[in-house]
Amino acid sequence: MTPDLNSKPRLAPGCRLNDKSQQPRTLLMPERALRLNGPSLEIVERCDGQHTVQQLITDLQKLYSKAAPEKVEQDILGYLKLLHDQRAIDFEAAQGSAS
Amino acid sequence: MTTSSNPLALVAELTHRCPLHCVYCSNPLELSQRANELSTEVWSRVFREAAQAGVLQADFTGGEPLARPDLTELIRAARATGLYVNLITSGLPMDEARLASLVAAGLDHLQLSFQGAHEEIAAEISGTKSHAQKLRVLGWMKQHRVALTLNFVIHRRNLDQLDEMLALAESSGAGRVEFANVQYYGWAFANRENLLPTREQLDRSIEQLNAAQERLRGKLRVEFVVPDYYARFPKACMGGWGRKLMLITPEGDALPCHAAKIIPGLTFDNVKDCGLREIWDSSEAFQKFRGEDWMQEPCRTCDRRELDFGGCRCQALLLTSDAAATDPVCSLSPQRGKVDAILEAANSPAPQVNLPIKPIKIDWLYRPNPS
C-alpha cells in the first residue's frame, strides 16, 4: 500500500511519543518501542492527523535541503508504509475522497 | 560485577487474587496473600523509580489487576511518570464505567486474555464462566482510543479452534492479537500432559498463523510464540536474565522473571527496603545469571550465547535439576533427550481402552484464589 499524498497520517490508538523531556525520544507502542532521531522523529512528530503526507514531504524536503527531493519523498513514503504495517499509524482519508 | 544497562520493562504483579483459575497460570504455586500486597503509595514510588531507571513500559498484571480497588490510581501514578501502561486482564470484574475510568487515568494498552473461541472451552480451562463478559468488554472498548490486544493462550485442547479465534480477533477491532503457546512452569508444568500440543497440531497452527499474518498485514498484527519444547534452540528467556525486565511480586520482591522463586538458593530484594535502581544493579538474584560467567558447556563457547543467553534458567532447573545447565530444549544440550521423551509421550496415540469406555474427563489441577 502506498500512502495517498492527501491523506493525513496520525498515530494509531495506543501509540504515542514519549515526553520531550525524556531522552532518547521514543515512539511507545504495544509491546515495543521505537527509538527516533533526526528524520524519523521529524516524520513521527508530524503524524498528528493535521499534516497531509504531501505537507510532511514538503516540510522535510526543506529541512533536508541538501538531499535530493525525490530521495526524501521516497524515504518518507517507505517509512510511513513501515509504520502503517506495524500498526503505528493510520491514514485519515482526505476530505471528500474515498479511502 | 557484570555490568547492566537499564531495565526497559517493569512487570507489576499487582495481586495474585483472580476470579479465574486457569490451569496454566504463570503465577507461582505458592500465591501471595492479600494482606501482604504493596500499598498504592509504594507502587507509585516504584513507578517513579522505574521511569528514572530508564524503564519505558509497565505491564500491570496479576492475578487479576482489576481485583485492586486502587487500579485507576495506580494507572494514573504510572502514567504521570511517563511510563507506557499495559493492562493485562481477564476483563473480570469490570463494567463500562470502570473501563472508562481506567482509560481516563491514562491507560495506553489493554490486553484481554481469552481461554478459547467460545464459552465451553473457556470455562473448562479457567474454571469460571467468563467468556460472555470478555465479549462485552470488547464491545465497550470500541468507544475508546486505546490499543487493544487479544491474548489467546493456546495448547492441545484449543489449538484446533484457531480459525474461530482469528475470526473473533478480526471482528473485535483490535490492532493486535497474540497467540502464546503455554510455557511449562508452575501450574502449566503440573498440567503439562494435557496441554502440550501434538506435532501435527503445531505444524498446522504455524501454517494457519503465517497465512493470517500475510492476509491481515496493516490491519491486525498477528503474533505467536511456539512452544519451545518443539524448537531446536531455546528462547532468549526474558531477553536475557537481568538484561531488560524486572518483575515485582504483589508483596514487593524484585524478580528477574515470573518463575525465579523456584530456583533454590536465590535471595530476592524487596522494593520496600531498596530502591529499584539499586536492586537492578546489585541484587544477588539479578547478578546470578547475568552475562556469561555462570554458563557451562555447551553454552560457554557457543556462538548462539549472545542470541539466546543459554535459554531459560527455570526450565533448566525443572527438567535437569540444575538451574545453570543449558536449557534442555536446545538441540546442543546433552540433556535434550529428556525433552524428546516428553514429546514422544505427547505424540503417541492414546492407549487402547478396554470396554466399557468412560467419557474422557481430564483431571485438571486448578489454580486456587489466595486468601
Side-chain angles (χ1 to χ4, degrees):
Chain A
M1 190 219 69
T2 311
D4 176 350
L5 292 179
N6 295 313
S7 66
K8 295 174 176 173
R10 77 159 169 167
L11 293 180
C15 300
R16 65 178 164 91
L17 263 170
N18 65 350
D19 195 77
K20 281 200 173 72
S21 65
Q22 292 166 316
Q23 292 296 332
R25 297 306 301 283
T26 305
L27 177 59
L28 300 170
M29 45 195 296
E31 300 290 297
R32 60 187 68 185
L34 211 56
R35 294 242 157 108
L36 303 173
N37 50 43
S40 62
L41 179 59
E42 298 292 345
I43 293 170
V44 170
E45 278 185 325
R46 287 170 176 76
C47 291
D48 54 5
Q50 306 293 320
H51 293 71
T52 63
V53 174
Q54 183 59 62
Q55 285 168 336
L56 205 154
I57 292 169
T58 310
D59 280 5
L60 268 85
Q61 283 170 336
K62 280 186 201 144
L63 274 171
Y64 297 94
S65 55
K66 283 183 188 154
E70 321 75 76
K71 176 79 167 67
V72 173
E73 172 165 348
Q74 244 173 43
D75 285 358
I76 292 173
L77 292 176
Y79 193 63
L80 289 176
K81 182 180 182 312
L82 177 109
L83 290 174
H84 183 257
D85 284 350
Q86 299 271 321
R87 298 285 297 114
I89 58 171
D90 295 324
F91 294 103
E92 295 193 1
Q95 295 253 308
S97 79
S99 62
Chain B
M1 190 164 105
T2 313
T3 53
S4 53
S5 45
N6 60 271
L8 294 171
L10 179 82
V11 178
E13 270 184 4
L14 299 177
T15 177
H16 280 164
R17 288 174 288 140
C18 187
L20 274 62
H21 310 282
C22 299
V23 294
Y24 44 62
C25 181
S26 64
N27 287 161
L29 296 174
E30 204 171 311
L31 298 164
S32 305
Q33 307 292 307
R34 177 178 197 159
N36 300 332
E37 289 178 7
L38 295 182
S39 66
T40 317
E41 292 67 37
V42 175
W43 275 120
S44 302
R45 169 173 61 78
V46 167
F47 301 144
R48 281 196 301 276
E49 292 176 351
Q52 279 160 12
V55 169
L56 297 171
Q57 302 217 0
D59 291 344
F60 281 19
T61 182
E64 173 50 64
L66 291 166
R68 296 260 325 200
D70 58 351
L71 183 59
T72 301
E73 244 178 298
L74 292 172
I75 291 175
R76 196 176 294 121
R79 183 63 196 262
T81 69
L83 289 174
Y84 185 93
V85 183
N86 293 300
L87 174 64
I88 301 161
T89 177
S90 68
L92 262 76
M94 177 131 78
D95 59 25
E96 215 172 342
R98 187 152 193 222
L99 176 62
S101 85
L102 303 179
V103 172
L107 178 65
D108 286 295
H109 177 204
L110 185 120
Q111 303 197 43
L112 192 59
S113 68
F114 279 84
Q115 285 74 41
H118 33 74
E119 186 74 77
E120 197 185 3
I121 181 73
E124 179 188 341
I125 294 301
S126 70
T128 320
K129 274 190 96 164
S130 57
H131 194 74
Q133 165 70 6
K134 291 165 191 286
L135 300 182
R136 282 193 286 276
V137 175
L138 286 183
W140 301 331
M141 277 298 285
K142 293 194 178 177
Q143 300 158 29
H144 299 291
R145 228 185 113 74
V146 167
L148 171 65
T149 293
L150 269 58
N151 286 10
F152 289 93
V153 179
I154 52 175
H155 46 80
R156 190 184 193 97
R157 298 275 298 135
N158 68 5
L159 208 45
D160 299 329
Q161 302 174 0
L162 206 49
D163 282 335
E164 290 168 89
M165 295 190 242
L166 274 163
L168 176 58
E170 255 184 278
S171 67
S172 71
R176 188 168 166 273
V177 60
E178 192 177 302
F179 293 96
N181 266 280
V182 169
Q183 311 253 12
Y184 298 99
Y185 311 98
W187 297 95
F189 192 76
N191 288 305
R192 187 182 62 203
E193 101 185 73
N194 294 315
L195 290 170
L196 194 62
T198 65
R199 184 174 292 281
E200 204 182 321
Q201 275 185 311
L202 183 69
D203 289 346
R204 187 173 131 74
S205 70
I206 291 172
E207 220 170 90
Q208 283 171 294
L209 289 166
N210 280 328
Q213 270 181 340
E214 258 329 290
R215 183 169 59 82
L216 298 166
R217 191 177 304 285
K219 286 187 214 139
L220 173 64
R221 250 169 64 200
V222 179
E223 295 183 2
F224 60 100
V225 183
V226 299
D228 54 3
Y229 281 36
Y230 280 100
R232 280 181 62 217
F233 297 112
K235 61 181 177 284
C237 197
M238 301 295 130
W241 185 276
R243 280 186 82 247
K244 292 189 166 167
L245 179 141
M246 185 179 232
L247 179 143
I248 311 295
T249 66
E251 70 271 23
D253 286 344
L255 274 51
C257 77
H258 298 73
K261 283 210 173 168
I262 64 171
I263 297 177
L266 277 191
T267 54
F268 302 96
D269 289 321
N270 192 289
V271 294
K272 284 184 285 194
D273 313 319
C274 308
L276 199 99
R277 181 81 226 190
E278 185 191 344
I279 296 177
W280 179 259
D281 286 337
S282 45
S283 155
E284 186 218 320
F286 281 83
Q287 289 289 54
K288 179 80 180 173
F289 300 112
R290 192 177 257 160
E292 299 176 1
D293 292 348
W294 59 273
M295 286 181 182
Q296 307 173 356
E297 292 298 348
C299 290
R300 181 172 275 276
T301 53
C302 181
D303 289 343
R304 296 185 54 87
R305 69 186 185 280
E306 285 169 16
L307 297 175
D308 57 35
F309 312 101
C312 174
R313 298 304 88 227
C314 303
Q315 187 145 277
L317 176 79
L318 283 168
L319 297 177
T320 76
S321 308
D322 177 4
T326 294
D327 186 334
V329 306
C330 184
S331 50
L332 303 170
S333 160
Q335 311 209 57
R336 170 73 210 190
K338 293 187 173 167
V339 177
D340 288 332
I342 294 166
L343 291 184
E344 203 184 318
N347 285 284
S348 2
Q352 292 292 313
V353 181
N354 293 325
L355 292 171
I357 298 174
K358 285 195 217 143
I360 300 170
K361 179 88 173 73
I362 295 178
D363 198 11
W364 291 117
L365 180 61
Y366 287 102
R367 164 214 199 276
N369 202 6
S371 54

